[in-house]
């Protein structure tokens, strides 16, 4: 009974967010001067008013706003994300083509941020006050303060051009035509710089967070109790301290996922990574309402789902918190 | 990025503390003295002061328009005494740009943060105090903002209404207030049913008075800490927008300078790096200050 | 005597060796080219954007090709005749050409494309083929186009970019603009479309049945071309430097790097191949604004900008100060005999005073906006430079940034602007690219890249219309020269620079430029030369794959 209530509530939340995103997107693009027909005419190199009128009729842009909006909602109800007239493809297909690259980039950067951040934070907490701690904390502060695109550019210059260790951009070496293991390794090489760039900011966050919470938790009663009971330090560290310190980390993970598309726009631009961030950016300038909305909806759904998972993991980590 | 504000501002805990300690707020003299003793707050404060001084002194030290083409293009730093930090691709003096840019970047950051503060604090207060419909509405709105990446949202707004100093500041402020509102709301909820509030109500104080006199001062801690982080985030957001080509072309901001130097980064990296460093230092200062404030004002942290 | 003979023999040997090498095009290799921005669709019949033009010329042939002197060479058309009254144009098509899907290329394809695509959809061709009354195809290889009035401009636009023929059997009866073959094109050209991974790359492979042979060997020489999408200018420079890409047209790297990259031993900077585009950068002045109605004010603007410094500082010398919208490389139509506006700020100020725009208490005469073409940093810097130049004569300029649809709507639709920095392609005949900037018919109709200034001159219109329907090229040349004199006197639009685009390519990639329209022409003649620079009379080197 409770589970059903929870599920219903969650689904309602999903629907209301989807509706909200649709409304905002629709009206935002209406505010922007020019429409998709204007974009196409500009790109085509010239146009006549008849040509543009024909385009508008084709895209349904000549109908009243509410009619257009209603049509879109209807489509959505049938899980149809619409058609991108500029790309000449269904939106779902366009997004589908770029989803693997996006997931790869985001997954890798999140993994990097969490693993590196948690490790460094733990080390800093364990050696609190000493040189290792000072160095790690300072680095974390600096990475937290540095603009993402600037780091990306500098990394390209250092690792790709000066040292020639890693490729300049793109997702894989097309001309080589690798398959199997070679392909995986090739993609991995191309993934390193973008994932690190995207993840550095959050790595700094997790480092500071981990350090702060571990220092905090270590001082708490139950840790001292465990030590008094004779538990040896490693067990104390892993079983108790880490488990409790992971809670805020998990919360932040939810936040990171939601803001990562914004950062992805910058990283994908610098590294020519064929992901959804850049596609959304371009869709905005092309007034491609269907495409932009499709991407935003997908990202919103992902964020909501991830937050559900985070909530669930939360309850597993701390039995005192109830799933609500 | 602005979602970080709420979580980083409060030291993470898993249980809610007893409200009693909140009522006895530390005395003014006490916390300022403690602030001075906190190393991070001290360093952060001094750095920030330097930046603010730079901003304020720019019209005196560098009269004239920083956009004027006064030198040979691509002068490297240290080569010409008249242009200590060199010049950019159109021959504009970089040192003048840094000083004037401090003013513009800080202005955008401060205005957007003020906007976020006004919206966020009032929204959080109202939602937390009145509960019910106001609360439900606020929760839905903030939830919604959390699912749309705030940077993308700011990007969309600026792209649609075209970039000027005003629109950029507005866009950043409008996308930053939800997390602050949630923060304030959480704090207000803690205090809503405290004895102090009940006492004031019994004495016949109006809702407004209770909110402003009793609740608000006790929520200042996380708000203050958040503020410095929001200013920092605003600077980073503005520079990212400029990098993507959405900066105001008539103003000299650090973000604009970094963006314009991007194309020549391989040979004349200083054009991008120098304003980049300015950004890093300022953001760092704000973070350190925020850390210091959090340390000092945290009621549980009695050293 | 022996010495002389010996020298002669040696010279002959070396000459022979050189020529032997010159004919030893090696087959093979994959070329990685950079294409930026990513094309919208892959055929130039429907879209005249630059990346589409660059790409589609490899998949589609034109009716003719142009050589380095703007002269026509046979392509899909083996020969052609223009009737004495210039009202009939006949093409004799090449026999035995096949589309990439195996079907034969015939006159029916040309007729269909002309009637349904060039006349109805293609923006430039609508004007050029506007007076076509009928197309006859007496047999599979003859096309007779009948005009009600001559349209000699057609002859300048018959290459793959101007006259791209689409396969009738794949397009007839379909919704042309949404036809799936727009994104997986089927042409007759040297390369066959393989794959388009959006946001990533497009690949082409050699057409084994291509009609163009050289010494019995069928072109192209390259096995494969990969067009990579690289949005960041710095990343493009790095890719070229590292050899990850070997061909990048349309000024792919920041201008400042061009010279530096060109000096690297493995790379070469090529400025040839763009003349057919005849591009010129100009400042459109909104003549409907009250303060711009007086020609003296517009002329003052021209006097205030030092074009030589502008060229050097903003465009790093990749341009030439312009005196007319028809660029100097278009020798047939260009004239120098026009009013000139050299850098003279004193004169500018005098003119402004005369026109009644005196300096106010704060030194400002006028406050205006400037909108620049949002295609990149070069145009932004141009706007910023002009802002500073005009500041010196007392005009306060507010530079505005916006995206492309906002810009086109503002300048060509709402006309809510003062100054606009933009470039047009003039192409090989002023009627195709230049006259649109001055013809009054398109003002305010929201037609992008047309008459932005709002210039309405009965005389200019008449000159344009006469040139459009004149049957004599000599007469047309005279008319265009008169037009240049007229518009440079009235100056509704101030030409700034003749732009010099450039290509960065690998030094060992040969024969990439064979005509003035190379940028919109295929790479069928290109080959990788792995032989050393010193003359070597031995056989051709083995095929070299790109790194």
């Amino acid at each position: 009974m409770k589970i059903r209530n929870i599920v219903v509530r969650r689904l309602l939340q999903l629907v209301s967010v989807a509706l909200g995103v649709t409304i905002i997107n629709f009206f935002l693009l209406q505010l922007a001067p020019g429409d998709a027909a204007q974009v196409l005419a500009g790109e085509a190199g010239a146009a006549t008013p008849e040509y543009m009128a024909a385009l508008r009729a084709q895209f349904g842009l000549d109908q009243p706003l509410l009619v257009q909006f209603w049509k879109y909602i209807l489509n959505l109800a049938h899980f149809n994300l619409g058609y991108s007239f500029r790309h000449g493809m269904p939106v779902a297909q366009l997004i589908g083509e770029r989803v693997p690259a996006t997931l790869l980039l985001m997954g890798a950067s999140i993994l990097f941020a969490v693993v590196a951040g948690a490790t460094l934070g733990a080390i800093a907490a364990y050696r609190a006050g000493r040189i290792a701690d000072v160095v790690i904390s300072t680095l974390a502060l600096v990475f937290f303060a540095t603009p993402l695109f600037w780091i990306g550019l500098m990394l390209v210059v250092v690792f790709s051009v000066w040292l020639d260790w890693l490729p300049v951009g793109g997702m894989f070496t097309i001309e080589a035509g690798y398959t199997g293991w070679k392909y995986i390794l090739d993609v991995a090489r191309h993934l390193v710089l973008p994932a690190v760039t995207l993840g550095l900011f959050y790595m700094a966050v997790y480092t500071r967070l981990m350090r702060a919470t571990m220092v905090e938790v270590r001082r708490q009663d139950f840790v001292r109790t465990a030590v008094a009971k004779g538990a040896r330090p490693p067990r104390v560290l892993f079983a108790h301290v880490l488990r409790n310190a992971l809670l805020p980390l998990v919360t932040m993970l939810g936040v990171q996922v939601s803001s990562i598309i914004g950062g992805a726009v910058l990283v994908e631009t610098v590294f020519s990574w064929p992901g959804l961030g850049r596609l959304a950016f371009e869709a905005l300038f092309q007034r491609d309402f269907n495409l932009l909305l499709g991407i935003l909806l997908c990202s919103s759904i992902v964020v909501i789902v991830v937050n559900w998972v985070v909530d669930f993991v939360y309850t597993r980590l701390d039995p005192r918190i109830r799933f609500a | 990025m602005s979602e970080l504000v709420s979580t980083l501002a409060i030291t993470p805990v898993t249980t809610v503390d007893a409200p009693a300690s909140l009522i006895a707020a530390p005395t003014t003299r006490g916390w300022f003295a403690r602030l001075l003793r906190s190393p991070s707050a001290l360093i952060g404060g001094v750095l920030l002061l330097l930046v603010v001084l730079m901003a304020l002194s720019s019209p005196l030290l560098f009269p004239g328009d920083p956009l004027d083409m006064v030198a040979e293009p691509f002068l490297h730093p240290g080569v010409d005494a008249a242009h200590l930090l060199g010049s950019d691709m159109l021959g504009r003096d970089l040192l003048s740009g840094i000083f004037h840019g401090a003013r513009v970047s800080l202005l955008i950051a401060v205005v957007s943060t003020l906007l976020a503060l006004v919206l966020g604090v009032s929204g959080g207060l109202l939602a937390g105090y009145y509960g019910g419909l106001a609360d439900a509405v606020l929760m839905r709105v903030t939830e919604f903002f959390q699912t749309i990446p705030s940077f993308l949202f700011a990007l969309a707004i600026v792209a649609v209404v075209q970039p000027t100093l005003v629109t950029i500041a507005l866009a950043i402020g409008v996308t930053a207030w939800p997390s602050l509102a949630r923060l304030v709301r959480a704090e207000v909820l803690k205090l809503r049913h405290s004895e102090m509030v009940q006492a004031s109500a019994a004495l016949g104080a109006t809702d407004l008075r209770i909110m402003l006199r009793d609740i608000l001062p006790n929520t200042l801690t996380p708000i203050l800490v958040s503020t410095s982080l929001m200013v920092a985030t605003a600077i980073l957001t503005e520079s990212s927008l400029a990098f993507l080509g959405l900066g105001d072309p008539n103003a000299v901001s650090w973000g604009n300078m970094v963006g314009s130097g991007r194309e020549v980064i391989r040979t004349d990296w200083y054009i991008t790096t120098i304003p980049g460093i300015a950004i890093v230092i300022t953001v760092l200062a704000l973070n350190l200050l925020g850390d210091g404030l959090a340390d000092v004002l945290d009621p549980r942290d009695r050293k | 005597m022996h010495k002389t003979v010996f020298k002669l023999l040696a010279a002959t040997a070396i000459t022979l060796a050189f020529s032997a090498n010159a004919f030893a095009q090696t087959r093979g290799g994959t070329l990685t080219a950079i294409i930026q921005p990513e094309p919208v669709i892959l055929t130039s019949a429907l879209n005249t954007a630059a990346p589409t033009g660059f790409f589609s010329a490899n998949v589609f042939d034109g009716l003719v090709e142009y050589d380095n002197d703007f002269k026509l060479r046979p392509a899909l058309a083996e020969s052609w005749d223009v009737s004495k009254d210039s009202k009939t144009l006949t093409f004799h098509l090449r026999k035995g050409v096949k589309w990439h899907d195996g079907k034969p290329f015939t006159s029916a394809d040309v007729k269909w494309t002309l009637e349904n695509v060039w006349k109805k959809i293609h923006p430039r061709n609508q004007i050029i083929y506007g007076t076509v009354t009928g197309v006859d195809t007496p047999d599979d290889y003859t096309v007779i186009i009948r005009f009600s009035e001559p349209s000699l401009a057609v002859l300048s636009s018959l290459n793959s970019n101007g006259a791209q023929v689409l396969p009738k059997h794949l397009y007839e009866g379909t919704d042309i603009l949404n036809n799936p073959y727009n994104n997986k094109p089927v042409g007759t050209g040297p390369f066959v479309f393989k794959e388009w991974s959006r946001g990533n790359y497009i690949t082409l492979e050699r057409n084994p049945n291509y009609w163009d042979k050289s010494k019995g060997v069928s072109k192209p020489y390259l096995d494969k071309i990969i067009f990579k999408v690289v949005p960041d200018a710095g990343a493009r420079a790095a890719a070229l430097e590292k050899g990850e890409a070997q061909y990048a047209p349309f000024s792919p790297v920041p201008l400042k790097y061009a010279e530096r990259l060109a000096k690297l031993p493995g790379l070469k900077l090529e400025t040839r191949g763009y003349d057919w585009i005849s591009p010129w950068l100009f400042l459109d002045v909104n003549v409907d604004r009250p303060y711009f109605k007086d020609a003296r004010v517009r002329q003052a603007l021209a006097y205030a900008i030092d074009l030589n410094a502008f060229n050097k500082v903003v465009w790093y010398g990749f341009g030439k100060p312009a005196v007319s919208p028809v660029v100097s490389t278009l020798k047939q139509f260009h004239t120098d005999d026009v009013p000139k506006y050299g850098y003279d700020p004193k004169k500018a100020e005098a003119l402004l005073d005369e026109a009644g725009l005196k300096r106010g208490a704060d030194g400002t005469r006028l406050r205006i906006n400037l909108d620049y073409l949002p295609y990149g940093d070069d145009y932004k810097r141009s706007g910023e430079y002009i802002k500073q130049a005009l500041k010196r004569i007392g005009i306060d300029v507010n530079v505005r940034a916006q995206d492309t649809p906002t810009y086109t709507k503002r300048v060509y639709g709402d006309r809510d602007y003062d100054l606009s920095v933009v470039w047009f392609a003039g192409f090989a005949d002023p009627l195709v690219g230049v006259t649109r900037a001055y013809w009054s018919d398109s003002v305010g109709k929201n037609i992008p890249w047309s008459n932005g200034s709002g210039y309405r001159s009965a005389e200019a219109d008449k000159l344009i219309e006469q040139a459009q329907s004149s049957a004599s090229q000599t007469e047309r040349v005279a008319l265009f020269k008169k037009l240049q004199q007229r518009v440079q006197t009235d100056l509704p639009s101030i030409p700034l620079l003749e732009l010099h685009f450039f290509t960065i390519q690998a030094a060992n990639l040969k024969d990439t430029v064979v005509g003035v329209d190379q940028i919109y022409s295929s790479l069928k003649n290109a080959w990788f030369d792995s032989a050393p620079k010193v003359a070597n009379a031995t056989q051709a080197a083995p095929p070299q794959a790109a790194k």
Side-chain angles (χ1 to χ4, degrees):
Chain A
M1 176 46 194
K2 269 207 295 191
I3 298 286
R4 190 152 35 99
N5 274 352
I6 293 170
V7 167
V8 165
R9 191 139 41 104
R10 295 296 176 147
L11 283 176
L12 275 178
Q13 180 192 23
L14 201 64
V15 167
S16 70
V17 168
L19 206 62
V21 170
T22 309
I23 294 175
I24 294 241
N25 190 34
F26 190 81
F27 288 106
L28 201 65
L29 281 180
Q30 294 302 329
L31 277 178
D35 55 14
Q38 187 89 20
V39 174
L40 279 175
E43 280 173 349
T48 56
E50 297 81 34
Y51 179 59
M52 286 169 72
L55 280 179
R56 291 207 171 91
Q58 186 185 23
F59 301 163
L61 288 171
D62 53 347
Q63 306 197 301
L65 272 186
L66 284 175
V67 172
Q68 291 183 46
F69 187 63
W70 180 241
K71 276 212 176 124
Y72 190 83
I73 297 281
L74 274 181
N75 269 339
L76 216 53
H78 292 103
F79 297 109
N80 177 1
L81 283 173
Y83 190 76
S84 163
F85 291 100
R86 197 184 167 285
H87 290 266
M89 283 167 75
V91 169
Q93 191 182 343
L94 261 178
I95 294 181
E97 280 181 2
R98 309 260 252 209
V99 159
T102 308
L103 285 179
L104 195 59
L105 178 63
M106 293 188 184
S109 73
I110 292 177
L111 197 68
F112 164 72
V114 168
V115 168
T119 316
L120 286 174
I123 297 176
Y126 210 55
R127 301 223 166 276
R130 290 187 255 173
I131 292 269
D133 178 27
V134 172
V135 168
I136 292 177
S137 294
T138 314
L139 274 179
L141 270 178
V142 172
F143 283 139
F144 187 66
T146 315
L148 194 89
F149 56 89
W150 192 76
I151 293 185
L153 286 173
M154 302 269 68
L155 285 178
V156 168
V157 171
V158 170
F159 287 97
S160 210
V161 182
W162 287 350
L163 294 174
D164 200 4
W165 287 352
L166 293 165
V168 170
M171 193 169 141
F172 57 91
T173 315
I174 309 155
E175 46 267 30
Y178 292 134
T179 51
W181 262 122
K182 277 206 182 141
Y183 175 73
I184 294 178
L185 279 174
D186 188 36
V187 172
R189 276 186 78 224
H190 282 84
L191 190 57
V192 171
L193 287 181
V196 166
T197 308
L198 193 55
L200 267 179
F201 181 76
Y202 277 94
M203 186 204 79
V205 169
Y206 293 140
T207 306
R208 300 177 67 198
L209 206 61
M210 196 64 171
R211 182 193 176 284
T213 57
M214 281 188 70
V215 163
E216 170 80 28
V217 169
R218 269 171 93 188
R219 281 186 291 162
Q220 290 197 358
D221 292 339
F222 67 90
V223 173
R224 285 192 258 147
T225 314
V227 171
K229 273 164 66 180
R232 282 175 294 129
R235 192 183 141 75
V236 168
L237 176 67
F238 287 114
H240 297 275
V241 177
L242 209 58
R243 203 169 184 225
N244 278 273
L246 277 178
L247 279 160
L249 202 90
V250 166
T251 318
M252 275 313 297
L253 202 61
V255 176
Q256 180 183 9
V257 171
S258 77
S259 74
I260 208 167
I261 275 214
V265 174
L266 296 162
V267 168
E268 287 171 17
T269 306
V270 173
F271 293 98
S272 316
W273 188 266
L276 287 174
R278 194 156 41 97
L279 193 62
F281 184 56
E282 289 166 9
L284 182 60
F285 288 111
Q286 292 154 11
R287 306 284 189 268
D288 196 341
F289 163 70
N290 286 345
L291 181 58
L292 184 60
L293 187 52
I295 298 178
L296 284 179
L297 277 178
C298 288
S299 102
S300 307
I301 292 177
V302 165
V303 167
I304 293 182
V305 168
V306 166
N307 276 304
W308 291 351
V309 171
V310 161
D311 284 346
F312 184 69
V313 170
Y314 231 70
T315 60
R316 284 281 165 279
L317 281 179
D318 185 348
R320 286 175 296 170
I321 295 176
R322 301 247 302 255
F323 196 54
Chain B
M1 276 186 264
S2 53
E3 294 90 352
L4 284 178
V5 164
S6 52
T7 325
L8 278 177
I10 330 170
T11 320
V13 282
T14 56
T15 53
V16 178
D17 260 353
S21 52
L22 288 167
I23 298 171
T27 63
T28 317
R29 214 159 16 120
W31 75 251
F32 194 67
R34 299 230 313 280
L35 196 67
L36 284 177
R37 267 184 274 134
S38 153
S40 45
L42 204 56
I43 301 177
V46 167
L47 282 177
L48 192 61
L49 205 61
L50 284 175
V51 173
V52 171
L53 277 176
M54 252 195 340
L56 292 174
S57 66
S58 57
L60 294 166
L61 291 177
F62 297 95
D65 192 353
L67 287 174
D68 277 340
M69 295 180 272
V70 294
E72 201 41 49
F74 294 112
L75 221 53
H76 275 242
V79 165
D80 185 347
H83 304 284
L84 280 172
L85 287 181
S87 70
D88 72 358
M89 69 284 296
L90 281 179
R92 299 183 284 226
D93 181 36
L94 279 184
L95 191 57
S96 169
I98 294 281
F99 269 69
H100 282 271
R103 197 157 47 102
V104 172
S105 299
L106 279 182
L107 200 65
I108 295 181
V110 165
V111 167
S112 62
T113 305
L114 276 175
L115 180 65
L117 275 176
V118 165
L119 291 174
V121 169
S122 49
L125 267 180
L126 289 171
Y129 191 77
Y130 287 116
L133 187 64
D135 189 28
V137 166
L138 186 81
M139 286 308 287
R140 288 287 89 71
V141 168
T142 56
E143 233 170 41
F144 168 76
F145 270 84
Q146 278 182 326
T147 54
I148 296 205
S150 68
F151 178 62
L152 211 57
F153 202 5
L155 186 73
I157 297 176
V158 174
V160 162
V161 301
Q162 286 134 67
T164 63
L165 291 180
V166 172
T167 57
I168 296 173
L170 282 176
I172 299 178
V174 157
T175 52
W177 74 265
S179 359
L180 183 65
R182 285 192 91 133
L183 197 71
V184 172
R185 172 186 173 275
E187 293 294 308
V188 170
L189 281 179
K190 281 190 214 162
L191 290 169
R192 180 80 181 74
H193 301 286
S194 65
E195 292 156 1
M196 178 180 62
V197 169
Q198 283 173 348
S200 292
L203 285 174
T206 60
D207 283 342
L208 190 65
R209 206 175 146 144
I210 297 179
M211 281 197 279
L212 292 179
R213 273 282 215 83
D214 302 317
I215 300 186
L216 190 57
N218 284 305
T219 62
L220 277 180
T221 311
I223 292 179
L224 265 180
V225 179
S226 311
T227 306
S228 83
L229 289 175
M230 278 198 288
V231 175
T233 311
I235 295 184
L236 283 177
T237 309
E238 184 260 322
S239 68
S240 302
L241 287 174
F243 172 73
L244 289 174
L246 289 169
D248 182 346
N250 298 291
V252 181
S253 75
W254 289 337
N256 267 343
M257 291 170 77
V258 174
S260 69
R262 164 194 176 192
E263 283 210 331
V264 293
I265 202 173
R266 313 260 303 295
T267 46
D268 304 275
W269 47 268
Y270 65 93
I271 301 180
T272 301
T273 310
I274 292 180
I277 294 180
I279 296 177
V280 172
I281 292 180
T282 312
V283 173
L284 201 62
L286 286 163
N287 288 337
L288 285 173
L289 197 59
D291 274 355
L293 279 173
D295 277 343
V296 156
L297 295 175
D298 185 349
R300 279 168 295 105
D301 207 12
R302 300 262 180 269
K303 292 210 177 108
Chain C
M1 216 293 259
H2 288 287
K3 252 199 193 161
T4 326
V5 172
F6 182 69
K7 266 200 216 159
L8 206 60
L9 278 174
T12 321
I14 292 174
T15 318
L16 279 174
F18 265 117
S19 34
N21 243 6
F23 289 127
Q25 286 98 338
T26 32
R27 271 172 96 73
T30 300
L31 174 67
T32 304
I34 294 182
I35 192 165
Q36 182 55 29
E38 191 176 20
V40 180
I41 67 176
L42 299 183
T43 161
S44 294
L46 304 174
N47 181 306
T48 56
T52 308
F54 163 55
F55 170 84
S56 68
N58 292 292
V59 178
F60 293 92
D61 293 311
L63 288 173
V64 308
E65 291 167 7
Y66 293 103
D67 68 8
N68 281 313
D69 296 307
F70 286 93
K71 299 275 184 300
L72 283 69
R73 271 201 316 244
L76 284 179
E78 276 183 337
S79 62
W80 46 90
D81 324 296
V82 182
S83 68
K84 272 221 184 60
D85 61 357
S86 302
K87 285 192 192 168
T88 308
L89 185 55
T90 308
F91 288 105
H92 302 284
L93 301 176
R94 190 177 296 270
K95 300 184 175 56
V97 177
K98 289 204 178 4
W99 294 100
H100 293 152
D101 63 354
K103 301 272 189 309
F105 163 75
T106 65
S107 57
D109 294 309
V110 179
K111 175 176 157 89
W112 185 89
T113 310
L114 202 162
E115 289 174 340
N116 295 286
V117 181
W118 298 348
K119 269 197 87 166
K120 295 221 175 105
I121 303 176
H122 191 277
R124 298 196 305 266
N125 287 353
Q126 276 182 46
I127 302 175
I128 305 177
Y129 291 96
T131 54
V132 168
T133 52
V135 183
D136 300 326
T137 52
D139 60 61
D140 276 347
Y141 301 105
T142 313
V143 180
I144 305 176
I145 310 175
R146 286 176 283 111
F147 294 81
S148 62
E149 274 176 12
S151 183
L152 286 172
V154 173
L155 295 171
S156 74
S157 200
L158 289 172
N159 57 2
S160 171
N161 189 264
Q164 201 161 96
V165 183
L166 294 177
K168 175 180 173 187
H169 61 277
L170 294 174
Y171 277 83
E172 186 174 32
T174 67
D175 176 4
I176 300 176
L177 286 174
N178 288 316
N179 187 313
Y181 286 100
N182 291 337
N183 295 333
K184 40 177 185 167
V186 170
T188 61
F191 294 94
V192 178
F193 172 83
K194 199 82 204 318
E195 183 196 357
W196 184 4
S197 168
R198 286 184 192 265
N200 221 344
Y201 59 86
I202 315 173
T203 48
L204 298 178
E205 283 181 357
R206 176 195 287 131
N207 176 3
N209 304 315
Y210 192 51
W211 55 263
D212 194 357
K213 296 189 194 329
S214 171
K215 295 179 186 27
V217 175
S218 160
K219 296 183 193 174
Y221 302 108
L222 297 168
D223 288 329
K224 209 168 156 186
I225 307 182
I226 300 174
F227 293 87
K228 258 190 172 158
V229 179
V230 185
D232 183 71
R236 293 196 285 273
L240 286 164
E241 220 176 303
K242 288 180 68 174
E244 286 181 14
Q246 300 93 39
Y247 189 81
F250 265 117
S251 306
V253 300
L255 299 175
K256 177 122 206 291
Y257 287 155
E259 296 293 355
R260 193 175 134 258
L261 283 180
K263 290 202 183 75
L264 295 176
L267 292 178
K268 184 175 130 173
L269 183 128
E270 179 66 81
T271 49
R272 296 175 304 156
Y274 293 95
D275 287 343
W276 187 75
I277 307 183
S278 310
W280 89 104
L281 182 78
F282 58 94
L283 190 67
D284 252 349
V285 182
N286 186 350
V287 298
D288 287 332
R289 292 282 146 115
Y291 34 83
F292 284 144
K293 280 203 191 317
D294 190 332
R296 287 174 295 189
V297 177
R298 305 195 292 268
Q299 289 163 356
L301 295 175
Y303 282 118
I305 306 173
D306 180 356
L307 290 179
N308 282 308
F310 179 63
N311 186 23
K312 205 170 124 216
V313 171
V314 179
W315 291 87
Y316 301 93
F318 281 96
K320 180 179 161 187
V323 297
S324 148
V326 178
V327 302
S328 53
T329 45
L330 201 56
K331 296 193 181 63
Q332 189 182 18
F333 297 103
H334 169 81
T335 174
D336 236 3
D337 182 19
V338 290
K340 304 235 178 44
Y341 304 93
Y343 181 51
D344 194 341
K346 283 211 183 64
K347 183 118 187 249
E349 301 221 41
L351 281 171
L352 288 173
D353 283 331
E354 257 178 57
L357 286 172
K358 304 233 189 304
R359 280 189 188 257
D362 62 349
T364 313
R365 302 173 190 272
L366 188 61
R367 284 202 158 73
I368 52 175
N369 291 317
L370 184 147
D371 300 284
Y372 59 88
L373 182 67
Y375 278 3
D377 268 10
D378 297 329
Y379 307 101
K380 181 172 181 213
R381 284 201 315 272
S382 300
E384 290 171 354
Y385 185 93
I386 294 175
K387 173 187 163 114
Q388 296 305 108
L390 294 183
K391 184 177 169 193
R392 288 200 196 107
I393 60 167
I395 300 183
D396 183 353
V397 174
N398 178 44
V399 178
R400 295 196 291 204
Q402 56 229 305
D403 61 16
T404 311
T406 312
Y407 172 81
T408 53
K409 184 148 187 289
R410 165 169 267 163
V411 174
Y412 300 104
D414 306 327
R415 293 181 48 71
D416 164 36
Y417 81 101
D418 295 306
L419 295 176
S420 155
V421 176
V422 63
W423 75 270
F424 277 5
F427 294 110
D429 185 306
L431 195 81
V432 180
V434 174
T435 54
R436 56 184 163 148
Y438 299 99
W439 199 31
S440 67
D441 200 56
S442 55
V443 173
K445 291 190 178 153
N446 201 9
I447 302 176
W449 325 127
S450 63
N451 184 334
S453 62
Y455 183 53
R456 287 183 178 83
S457 156
E459 188 190 329
D461 283 347
K462 185 137 169 281
L463 288 168
I464 294 173
E465 278 148 27
Q466 281 177 324
Q468 181 171 6
S469 54
S470 160
S472 148
Q473 193 71 316
T474 333
E475 186 191 18
R476 297 177 80 239
V477 169
L479 287 168
F480 283 130
K481 291 196 172 158
K482 267 230 194 93
L483 181 68
Q484 290 171 68
Q485 282 159 350
R486 174 83 263 145
V487 301
Q488 284 305 101
T489 312
D490 293 339
L491 216 59
S493 164
I494 303 172
L496 297 169
L497 294 180
E498 302 179 6
L499 293 176
H500 292 165
F501 294 115
F502 61 89
T503 303
I504 303 263
Q505 60 171 83
N508 67 343
L509 185 66
K510 303 283 181 218
D511 288 340
T512 46
V513 182
V514 293
V516 286
D517 63 342
Q518 180 56 48
I519 182 60
Y520 288 147
S521 190
S522 77
L523 288 165
K524 66 180 174 183
N525 297 296
W527 55 283
F528 281 110
D529 176 16
S530 55
K533 274 198 168 168
V534 176
N536 185 346
T538 53
Q539 59 280 37
Q544 174 187 30
K547 196 165 77 145

